[in-house]
Amino acid sequence: MNSLVIPLLGILVLERDPIGYADLPGLLKTWAQDAGGFAAVGLVLWMLNAYLTPPPGGTSEQRPRVTKLMLMLAILAAVVYACAGGLMYAASLKTATPTSTTINPNAPTPMATPQIGTLDRAADWALVIGGILAIIAIAEPFLRDLVRLRWRRIFALARISFKEAIRRRVLFVLIVLALPFLFPAKWFFAIKPEDELRSTVSIISFALSAVLLLMAGLMASFSIPNDVKNQTIHTIVTKPVERFEIVAGRFLGYTALMTLILFGLTALSLLFMRLTRIDQAAAEETLRARKPVYGKLGFKSRREDFSGTSVGREWEYRRYVAGGSQANPSPQRAIWSFYRIPSSLTDKPVPCEFAFDIFRTTKGEENKGVFCNFVFVSWKCPQRLHPDKNVWEWVDQAKRTEYEKEAREARVFEASIKPNDPRWAKVEALAEKYGFFEFVSKEVFDYHTLSIDVPAGLFKNALSETPKSGDGSTEIPLVQVYVQCTSPTQFIGVAPYDLYLLESEGVFELNFFKGAIGLWCRLVIVIGLATACSTYLSGVISFLVAVFLFIAGLFQEFVEELAKGTSVGGGPFEALNRLVKNETLTTQLDPTPTVQVALFSDQVFRWLLRRFINVIPDVENFDWTKFVSEGFDIRPEFLIVNLLFLIGYLLPWAILAYYLMKSREIAA
Amino acid sequence: MAESVVETRNLTKVYRDFWGRRKKVALNALDLTIYRGEIFGLLGPNGSGKTTTIKLLLGLLFPTSGDAYVFGKPAVNVEKNERIGYLPEESYLYRFLNAEETLDFYGRLFDIPPDVRRERAAQLIERVGLANDRKRILREYSKGMRQRIGLAQALINDPELVILDEPTSGLDPLGTRWMKDLILELRDQGKTVLMCSHRLDDVQDVCDRIAILYNGDLQTLGEVKTLLEDANTLELRASNVKLTDELKADLAAVLQKYGGTLTSFGHPTTTLEDLFLRIVEESKQRPGRRFLPPTEGNKSAATPAAPASSGSTNSPNNSNPAPASANANGGANASHASSNKSGKKKKR
């Protein structure tokens, strides 16, 4: 099969969903609990420090002390936290079940099965309220001092950072370092024509990330420590400058500088990209900004709990549905349910694009893919599995008969009609009338994205009324797509983002800049982290801390596994034990005293890691390279949530920086 | 009584190590009041607590105990800095900026409106003698030039209190004289000046009151005039009189009549600073080489100028046996030994 015959379209491979508005309430709650926990610890330390070292001579202004409001809020927070503790204890008593005391060293720490009861919910909310109180208490002096900040002073300090970087030729070095990577990748590497732009985008993104993040980290880490070392800070803090203004000035200065450089280099790379000849296949794949509508993927078969088959692939991103013959069809279906259908889909035929993985249990025919049937139904045309046969049928059989009759008359029944076919009008009319459209025997190839045009009438049918569920609690999908593999002994592998309805196309250039916003967010994180650390630590240590946290963020998934105890081979102490004893990862260890100690140490380590994990920035969340390189539009929603995420992460660091700077003896 | 500008009460600073153990008592229970319009000098050897005091007053350090108030506000209060100008010991400025940019930056920190900032920066650059170097970055400046621009930044807000840490450090004699004149000028404008210096002659020349610290303790506090006055010694100056043994004998007899003893008798010497400044001034008037290397026949030619017989004078050196000398004003002048300082001020 000549791959160029098939339209080459991109597909997103995302191991987790991008964070959108829907996730915000949950995120806010988690943030209040996590940040609140740190705030509570900070509050305790601060109050201990304040009461153990009273201000000299009773002068309350010598250092920020414990104000009445802070004390009151701290007491309230303590009370609420005590209540939360009590509720959690009560909940644990209620749900406690006798467990075996036998130690199975190889069993991962069991994940808490969430049986959310009233007590649990109350404890959860108590933690949120306690957290918010602790945050307000610790932030009270910070908020009070915020009104004293003057933008002109902050701007002056930001300008200094800017000028410093330019006069010390940092800007020049940055551009020189980044410039070679901005040229098209095909100039340097042998790349498949269709991957040309994809590779260029990836390389540009990687190079800019590496160079800019390193530079941003270095500049921000060393700025305040250098000011202290060179004593230039003495001439600043002896002016009417709030100390946090120095932190804010440095932070904003470097952020402005890196913003300028980032968007300058992005524009330059885009210019290079557009000035060079782009392969047609690459342009079709990447030089786009598709606006897809995604559905939720589910599986159905005769078994109620069917959730797709695992074919033993190491990467379990996709689940598989088995194919069957016409005589012995497979009941397995991959079903995408669309709960949101934009009204713009009712204007013209809507491309439904997809790319599946094929798993063959027998050798297929040369140059032939596997065949799939696609059934698109609106909520008005529900389907069910026949009780005896492995066939999915309409719930309303009378309607089905009526549809079949009309479709046969128009010669569109079980046919694969395309919009350029004269019968398309009838397909549209039937889809609008019955909320049903099928495309049979579509040949599917491994990892080649294909497209089916779906009549707009189907969406008109779905949007003509609002579905009402019987109990009112479950949401009914407006449109569902049933995918069936019709090649016997073959499987198709599907993942949530493997099929989508193409709503419209955006502008690639704009999308390219939107992708840069993700890198910008990561730059801001590094600058914020480094600046906050540098208010207390030396330049080198600040840089190392920022780099360490950022890199830990890249491996957050692994760190989470370690923290939850789900990593294969156990925690570090158990792993060390295995290493010393030359045991494999899966061998069951004897519960010797050494093993017991190792397991206990791992539990302590995990507890500490669970606290630490909240300090790690979720940098992967800000990476939009895949969207740009695969030609998918980055929704403004994602970017807005990114910004909120950024603020949520940096705010506690800002408060920490405020305290460190305010309580620091500059000349000590 | 004049309004107090700086006040410390029992001000103590103890430096501690990481574990909180006492490392050094840098300042011990300092009680000090500085009044509006005076030039106050902090003296003491290295490690006596001068700079620590200044840093405590500026909020760069926090006191271990006691209080420090500036303009009636605690030293850590940021608002008080609106009225303070500070020149650190080394001029710690951003070396990648030029003079104009430096003053503009510090002006912005005071939130001074742009037009006022520009005007004041131009005036100050002119005043500190850097008009021709206003566009050069500070990295290229000599130490003296950096000290000048440092002083300019300290004055950008037209402060009421100017704190100078070793203001003449790194300055040549011309610069030192210029700095001292400027300090006096500031006092004349009604500003309060607090300075600390190792150079005792500088402090003596300009300060109204001084405090001497040693090992963190205040040893002496008072007016320079009073502290330096030697009430047991009489100074007599005369002009148009030849130094003869007869005169010496007569003077000894007169003094003996009043119960005194003639302890020294001779021509006064000028200070090296005065000599240097005079030569530089003359060189400006008449450029060219004036120094003649000593030859076989003219050994004394190496002397560039004869000992001053006119111009400003200083008190007789103790090593000099001559107790009195001619005065440029031509008239006889008898005063207490310490009064020569006030004489200099009048001259300026």
Side-chain angles (χ1 to χ4, degrees):
Chain A
M1 179 76 204
N2 184 353
S3 64
L4 290 177
V5 177
I6 300 167
L8 294 161
L9 305 167
I11 204 82
L12 269 180
V13 176
L14 300 175
E15 295 197 45
R16 62 175 179 171
D17 297 335
I19 298 169
Y21 294 140
D23 305 303
L24 277 183
L27 282 172
L28 275 174
K29 200 171 147 189
T30 314
W31 182 83
Q33 288 179 348
D34 294 345
F38 282 105
V41 174
L43 203 56
V44 170
L45 292 176
W46 185 250
M47 288 169 82
L48 280 175
N49 172 52
Y51 289 121
L52 293 178
T53 54
T59 310
S60 60
E61 281 192 65
Q62 299 286 11
R63 281 177 245 175
R65 314 306 299 183
V66 178
T67 60
K68 278 182 188 167
L69 183 61
M70 187 193 256
L71 184 66
M72 200 178 73
L73 287 166
I75 292 168
L76 269 176
V79 170
V80 177
Y81 271 126
C83 290
L87 286 167
M88 283 196 289
Y89 181 67
S92 69
L93 287 180
K94 206 175 169 187
T95 54
T97 49
T99 51
S100 167
T101 51
T102 318
I103 296 170
N104 177 6
N106 290 321
T109 305
M111 299 287 290
T113 44
Q115 291 177 341
I116 307 292
T118 317
L119 284 174
D120 285 313
R121 263 198 296 273
D124 204 34
W125 279 108
L127 286 176
V128 172
I129 295 166
I132 291 171
L133 286 169
I135 292 168
I136 299 173
I138 197 84
E140 189 261 336
F142 173 71
L143 295 172
R144 200 157 23 87
D145 275 3
L146 274 185
V147 295
R148 292 192 205 163
L149 303 188
R150 292 287 171 271
W151 277 111
R152 270 199 214 180
R153 290 197 293 255
I154 294 174
F155 180 66
L157 289 157
R159 262 170 54 117
I160 276 290
S161 310
F162 207 90
K163 276 190 179 171
E164 188 173 17
I166 291 170
R167 301 257 164 103
R168 292 191 171 163
R169 295 177 178 81
V170 176
L171 192 69
F172 174 74
V173 172
L174 267 174
I175 292 170
V176 167
L177 281 176
L179 210 56
F181 298 99
L182 304 184
F183 293 103
K186 67 176 178 183
W187 291 6
F188 307 101
F189 312 105
I191 297 169
K192 282 198 291 181
E194 66 267 29
D195 286 341
E196 179 189 318
L197 261 184
R198 189 176 288 141
S199 305
T200 303
V201 169
S202 301
I203 289 171
I204 288 171
S205 169
F206 175 76
L208 286 187
S209 301
V211 174
L212 297 187
L213 287 170
L214 192 71
M215 279 298 184
L218 278 170
M219 284 193 300
S221 300
F222 284 89
S223 62
I224 293 177
N226 273 352
D227 274 355
V228 173
K229 188 177 153 197
N230 299 331
Q231 302 194 15
T232 39
I233 202 166
H234 289 195
T235 49
I236 295 174
V237 293
T238 51
K239 305 285 182 284
V241 174
E242 289 291 329
R243 291 195 177 185
F244 189 71
E245 285 175 341
I246 299 172
V247 181
R250 285 295 184 182
F251 171 74
L252 291 177
Y254 291 126
T255 301
L257 179 74
M258 296 317 287
T259 307
L260 197 76
I261 295 170
L262 172 66
F263 287 100
L265 290 177
T266 305
L268 205 61
S269 60
L270 195 63
L271 192 71
F272 286 155
M273 217 183 284
R274 301 302 277 142
L275 288 178
T276 51
R277 199 190 66 80
I278 300 166
D279 187 88
Q280 180 64 24
E284 277 181 28
E285 289 225 8
T286 304
L287 207 60
R288 305 171 63 182
R290 301 175 188 86
K291 293 184 176 172
V293 178
Y294 287 110
K296 278 189 181 166
L297 175 63
F299 297 89
K300 276 191 179 166
S301 183
R302 181 119 352 244
R303 253 177 44 223
E304 275 297 314
D305 61 342
F306 178 69
S307 59
T309 307
S310 169
V311 294
R313 288 214 200 277
E314 198 178 346
W315 187 40
E316 291 198 332
Y317 176 65
R318 289 189 167 84
R319 304 293 288 184
Y320 292 75
V321 288
S325 63
Q326 204 163 7
N328 184 23
S330 164
Q332 297 180 4
R333 297 286 185 278
I335 303 165
W336 276 268
S337 303
F338 294 84
Y339 294 88
R340 184 188 70 87
I341 295 289
S343 56
S344 58
L345 297 189
T346 57
D347 300 335
K348 55 184 179 186
V350 177
C352 170
E353 298 185 343
F354 53 90
F356 303 143
D357 175 33
I358 298 171
F359 182 78
R360 298 175 188 273
T361 54
T362 56
K363 192 180 173 190
E365 285 181 57
E366 199 176 340
N367 285 340
K368 274 209 167 183
V370 299
F371 290 89
C372 292
N373 285 352
F374 291 79
V375 173
F376 298 81
V377 291
S378 82
W379 61 276
K380 290 182 182 173
C381 183
Q383 305 286 301
R384 68 175 176 208
L385 183 59
H386 192 281
D388 307 317
K389 300 176 203 167
N390 285 339
V391 174
W392 286 76
E393 59 178 18
W394 292 34
V395 173
D396 187 346
Q397 278 300 309
K399 218 171 174 183
R400 164 74 188 182
T401 315
E402 197 183 321
Y403 164 78
E404 197 174 322
K405 189 184 164 198
E406 271 192 61
R408 281 190 194 281
E409 279 172 9
R411 291 183 294 112
V412 297
F413 183 68
E414 290 188 349
S416 304
I417 314 287
K418 291 177 182 172
N420 52 5
D421 194 299
R423 293 170 290 170
W424 182 257
K426 187 63 190 172
V427 172
E428 281 277 10
L430 284 173
E432 188 172 352
K433 185 176 177 186
Y434 294 100
F436 181 86
F437 169 71
E438 65 181 336
F439 197 100
V440 296
S441 296
K442 175 74 180 172
E443 194 175 8
V444 175
F445 298 91
D446 240 352
Y447 294 119
H448 281 298
T449 310
L450 306 162
S451 179
I452 291 173
D453 286 309
V454 184
L458 182 91
F459 303 106
K460 281 182 195 161
N461 177 284
L463 293 174
S464 60
E465 287 175 65
T466 311
K468 284 175 189 160
S469 63
D471 57 1
S473 61
T474 47
E475 199 183 353
I476 296 174
L478 295 170
V479 169
Q480 287 187 302
V481 183
Y482 288 71
V483 178
Q484 173 197 11
C485 178
T486 54
S487 299
T489 70
Q490 314 289 352
F491 286 74
I492 55 161
V494 293
Y497 293 99
D498 281 357
L499 181 143
Y500 56 86
L501 301 170
L502 187 60
E503 185 186 352
S504 59
E505 291 271 356
V507 181
F508 171 78
E509 284 75 8
L510 181 64
N511 207 37
F512 194 70
F513 274 98
K514 283 200 243 174
I517 292 176
L519 175 55
W520 180 83
C521 289
R522 280 178 282 163
L523 281 170
V524 175
I525 283 181
V526 168
I527 294 170
L529 266 177
T531 311
C533 292
S534 71
T535 53
Y536 185 73
L537 302 172
S538 69
V540 177
I541 303 295
S542 303
F543 178 69
L544 288 176
V545 170
V547 167
F548 175 73
L549 287 176
F550 189 85
I551 290 176
L554 293 174
F555 298 98
Q556 203 183 30
E557 208 174 315
F558 171 69
V559 180
E560 266 174 28
E561 277 181 11
L562 269 182
K564 288 174 182 167
T566 53
S567 56
V568 182
F573 294 99
E574 187 186 328
L576 181 69
N577 200 287
R578 287 175 186 279
L579 203 68
V580 171
K581 289 182 177 170
N582 212 10
E583 299 276 10
T584 61
L585 290 176
T586 49
T587 314
Q588 189 162 347
L589 295 174
D590 295 329
T592 60
T594 320
V595 170
Q596 304 254 24
V597 169
L599 289 175
F600 178 74
S601 307
D602 275 345
Q603 276 186 0
V604 175
F605 173 75
R606 278 199 291 271
W607 187 89
L608 289 172
L609 202 59
R610 279 198 290 273
R611 309 285 85 76
F612 169 71
I613 210 164
N614 293 311
V615 184
I616 300 174
D618 186 3
V619 287
E620 283 292 308
N621 184 32
F622 299 101
D623 188 5
W624 301 109
T625 312
K626 273 182 192 168
F627 279 71
V628 181
S629 66
E630 298 298 335
F632 283 86
D633 183 59
I634 302 162
R635 290 198 338 233
E637 174 189 349
F638 298 154
L639 298 178
I640 291 168
V641 173
N642 263 191
L643 290 177
L644 293 174
F645 218 83
L646 185 71
I647 294 167
Y649 180 74
L650 287 182
L651 195 62
W653 285 100
I655 296 172
L656 177 71
Y658 164 81
Y659 274 95
L660 291 176
M661 200 66 183
K662 189 96 178 173
S663 56
R664 177 175 185 168
E665 286 191 309
I666 296 289
Chain B
M1 194 174 195
E3 177 199 350
S4 74
V5 171
V6 173
E7 196 177 349
T8 68
R9 287 199 297 253
N10 207 24
L11 189 65
T12 302
K13 179 65 189 174
V14 180
Y15 287 115
R16 295 176 191 276
D17 64 10
F18 181 79
W19 306 106
R21 292 174 301 193
R22 288 163 79 97
K23 219 163 71 178
K24 181 176 166 56
V25 180
L27 197 64
N28 188 24
L30 179 68
D31 287 314
L32 196 69
T33 306
I34 300 171
Y35 298 102
R36 184 175 289 280
E38 71 172 337
I39 302 176
F40 191 93
L42 275 176
L43 290 177
N46 287 341
S48 59
K50 306 184 298 288
T51 304
T52 299
T53 307
I54 284 181
K55 285 176 176 173
L56 284 165
L57 291 174
L58 288 165
L60 292 168
L61 291 174
F62 301 137
T64 308
S65 64
D67 292 308
Y69 293 97
V70 181
F71 296 114
K73 290 180 176 167
V76 289
N77 184 294
V78 172
E79 285 166 26
K80 65 138 190 2
N81 292 347
E82 295 270 8
R83 302 158 73 184
I84 296 178
Y86 169 55
L87 171 69
E89 183 177 352
E90 289 283 328
S91 200
Y92 303 116
L93 305 170
Y94 290 105
R95 298 192 174 193
F96 52 85
L97 298 178
N98 64 34
E100 274 181 350
E101 289 169 334
T102 300
L103 296 189
D104 183 67
F105 168 63
Y106 288 106
R108 280 170 188 269
L109 296 185
F110 282 102
D111 218 359
I112 300 170
D115 46 344
V116 179
R117 205 165 61 221
R118 270 192 296 274
E119 191 187 326
R120 209 177 276 176
Q123 281 172 0
L124 281 169
I125 286 172
E126 194 75 38
R127 191 172 175 187
V128 298
L130 293 172
N132 294 331
D133 302 292
R134 63 176 67 214
K135 296 286 182 193
R136 280 173 67 191
I137 57 166
L138 268 51
R139 193 180 293 120
E140 297 170 1
Y141 275 20
S142 68
K143 196 177 177 191
M145 289 164 88
R146 283 205 294 271
Q147 196 75 345
R148 284 164 186 263
I149 192 66
L151 184 69
Q153 68 80 26
L155 300 177
I156 189 74
N157 57 325
D158 193 17
E160 293 170 46
L161 168 65
V162 184
I163 298 177
L164 309 169
D165 193 354
E166 302 287 352
T168 54
S169 160
L171 293 180
D172 61 14
L174 278 174
T176 304
R177 172 58 64 89
W178 166 81
M179 179 66 85
K180 286 194 281 190
D181 286 347
L182 202 129
I183 292 169
L184 291 168
E185 201 180 310
L186 290 172
R187 196 260 316 268
D188 294 343
Q189 288 169 3
K191 299 184 192 306
T192 311
V193 180
L194 164 63
M195 62 180 278
C196 73
S197 179
H198 286 108
R199 292 172 65 166
L200 304 181
D201 53 337
D202 292 346
V203 174
Q204 187 184 348
D205 281 352
V206 296
C207 287
D208 299 316
R209 287 200 307 143
I210 57 165
I212 297 177
L213 298 169
Y214 183 77
N215 218 7
D217 291 312
L218 178 64
Q219 304 294 340
T220 306
L221 171 68
E223 284 186 32
V224 176
K225 186 180 161 186
T226 314
L227 292 174
L228 297 185
E229 189 179 67
D230 182 0
N232 296 321
T233 310
L234 191 73
E235 186 184 69
L236 181 107
R237 293 182 181 216
S239 59
N240 301 327
V241 179
K242 280 200 171 177
L243 200 64
T244 58
D245 289 342
E246 194 184 347
L247 177 63
K248 186 179 178 182
D250 286 350
L251 281 172
V254 171
L255 290 169
Q256 200 169 17
K257 186 181 167 188
Y258 289 94
T261 311
L262 183 64
T263 52
S264 67
F265 180 77
H267 291 296
T269 54
T270 185
T271 61
L272 194 55
E273 182 187 351
D274 283 335
L275 171 68
F276 177 84
L277 290 172
R278 189 162 52 77
I279 290 172
V280 171
E281 199 52 47
E282 283 173 11
S283 301
K284 277 184 192 167
Q285 303 294 329
R286 292 184 287 110
R289 190 174 175 185
R290 300 172 68 236
F291 177 77
L292 298 173
T295 55
E296 282 292 314
N298 181 19
K299 295 251 183 198
S300 62
T303 311
S309 58
S310 63
S312 69
T313 57
N314 207 342
S315 59
N317 195 309
N318 281 344
S319 61
N320 191 329
S325 70
N327 185 298
N329 296 331
N333 178 17
S335 67
H336 286 90
S338 62
S339 67
N340 63 337
K341 188 169 76 69
S342 56
K344 273 189 174 185
K345 278 180 195 166
K346 275 176 193 163
K347 189 170 72 69
R348 286 183 193 123

